[in-house]
Amino acid sequence: SSRNDLKKAKSLTNSGSVYFKQCDYKKAEKFHQEAVDLLKSCKCESTAEYADALSGLGLDILYLNKHDESFKKINEAYEIRMKINNTKDHQDLSESLYSLGTNLFFKRDINASLDYYLKAYEMLKRILNNSDNPNLAQFIHSIGINYSCLGNHKKALEYSFKAYEMRKRIFNEYTHPDLAQSLKNISEEYSNLGDHKKSLEYNLKSYEMRKELNKDKDHPDTAQSLNSIGVNYLNLEDYKTAWEYFIKA
């Protein structure tokens, strides 16, 4: 029955999403494609389950560098979700808008990407009634990156701080990779604005957090932090300390 098919498809989509989170995009694609085919065979193309499977598939192939095909699939999922939700705000719709923005970011169409990110952000903000949420923080973080790519470093810094403050509230000030990432972005934007002292301050914070997260073991993130602290000292014309950090990295 189609009810069983919907259940089975949902389970396939969930498996695909697990592989996607593990960055195994080929495996994720296999599961999402299976779900899409199953739902097509039972004529369930107007269901939320189909939109979920299609959206997942679109993201898998985006990371496998099939940008145009990916955009089509994510956009089709968005259209279905629009029909289902009667064009009213819905978390799935904000997720679709964000995915379309990510696709355009991959294609280096930063202006169009920013447009979608801002729409996704505004919608999710309305849905959540302005409350904190990890997805919302991620949307804000991505908007900051887009402004940075467009050379608007003041705006980029503003959004990087917004994401950082929200993540601090969400994770209760604890160490978390997202927080370390936010600190890193703030440091980069200060550097772009020529404030190397401030940049160094946030870089050191990010480094300490990454060290803690990686339990003091060697890790590419920690090495990257050491290297950019070296660059900070270089910009501050403290060549001896800069050299020490480059050697550590």
Side-chain angles (χ1 to χ4, degrees):
S1 75
S2 64
R3 187 187 242 148
N4 281 343
D5 287 339
L6 285 174
K7 258 173 107 167
K8 193 179 171 199
K10 203 171 193 159
S11 147
L12 287 166
T13 298
N14 289 340
S15 300
S17 301
V18 170
Y19 283 115
F20 181 84
K21 282 197 179 105
Q22 293 168 355
C23 304
D24 190 342
Y25 305 120
K26 274 255 175 273
K27 265 231 172 83
E29 181 190 15
K30 186 178 152 293
F31 279 98
H32 284 137
Q33 186 65 61
E34 248 180 80
V36 165
D37 294 341
L38 174 64
L39 290 164
K40 269 186 177 166
S41 72
C42 68
K43 307 255 183 295
C44 295
E45 286 111 313
S46 56
T47 60
E49 285 80 0
Y50 183 74
D52 292 347
L54 198 60
S55 180
L57 181 59
L59 283 174
D60 304 332
I61 64 176
L62 173 62
Y63 283 87
L64 294 167
N65 287 324
K66 299 176 190 163
H67 297 166
D68 293 337
E69 202 187 321
S70 158
F71 191 88
K72 271 190 210 133
K73 290 193 192 313
I74 298 168
N75 201 39
E76 194 189 328
Y78 173 63
E79 299 287 339
I80 296 164
R81 285 169 169 173
M82 285 276 278
K83 278 197 188 108
I84 292 170
N85 298 300
N86 234 331
T87 70
K88 286 188 192 74
D89 288 348
H90 191 280
Q91 220 145 338
D92 287 349
L93 278 176
S94 71
E95 187 203 300
S96 280
L97 288 166
Y98 182 77
S99 298
L100 289 166
T102 303
N103 180 291
L104 290 158
F105 185 83
F106 271 61
K107 288 180 178 173
R108 310 304 299 149
D109 190 346
I110 308 298
N111 276 306
S113 169
L114 179 60
D115 247 16
Y116 277 103
Y117 280 164
L118 286 166
K119 277 183 193 155
Y121 164 61
E122 292 302 338
M123 185 181 289
L124 194 54
K125 214 167 66 165
R126 288 193 300 269
I127 293 166
L128 297 167
N129 219 336
N130 254 338
S131 56
D132 295 338
N133 171 283
N135 285 352
L136 194 61
Q138 181 58 42
F139 289 9
I140 296 167
H141 171 83
S142 298
I143 290 168
I145 290 173
N146 278 31
Y147 275 124
S148 185
C149 291
L150 293 168
N152 189 340
H153 299 298
K154 272 211 167 82
K155 270 276 197 216
L157 183 62
E158 179 196 322
Y159 276 90
S160 297
F161 257 115
K162 247 189 191 171
Y164 173 60
E165 293 300 336
M166 186 176 288
R167 284 169 166 172
K168 243 175 28 173
R169 292 191 298 268
I170 292 168
F171 303 119
N172 241 336
E173 309 269 344
Y174 290 126
T175 47
H176 188 279
D178 290 356
L179 269 177
Q181 184 56 52
S182 280
L183 287 164
K184 184 90 194 68
N185 278 35
I186 291 169
S187 165
E188 277 168 14
E189 291 318 317
Y190 272 126
S191 179
N192 287 329
L193 290 164
D195 189 338
H196 301 300
K197 266 210 169 82
K198 273 279 192 214
S199 176
L200 174 63
E201 180 194 323
Y202 281 92
N203 229 339
L204 287 166
K205 278 184 189 173
S206 174
Y207 166 63
E208 288 305 328
M209 193 174 286
R210 280 176 164 176
K211 227 170 55 165
E212 214 175 304
L213 285 164
N214 299 312
K215 311 261 186 291
D216 280 332
K217 287 191 193 78
D218 289 343
H219 189 277
D221 282 351
T222 325
Q224 185 204 12
S225 284
L226 286 166
N227 195 52
S228 58
I229 290 167
V231 173
N232 283 142
Y233 278 114
L234 208 56
N235 288 326
L236 291 164
E237 297 181 5
D238 180 346
Y239 302 116
K240 189 172 165 290
T241 315
W243 185 239
E244 281 165 16
Y245 274 94
F246 289 142
I247 286 172
K248 270 189 203 168

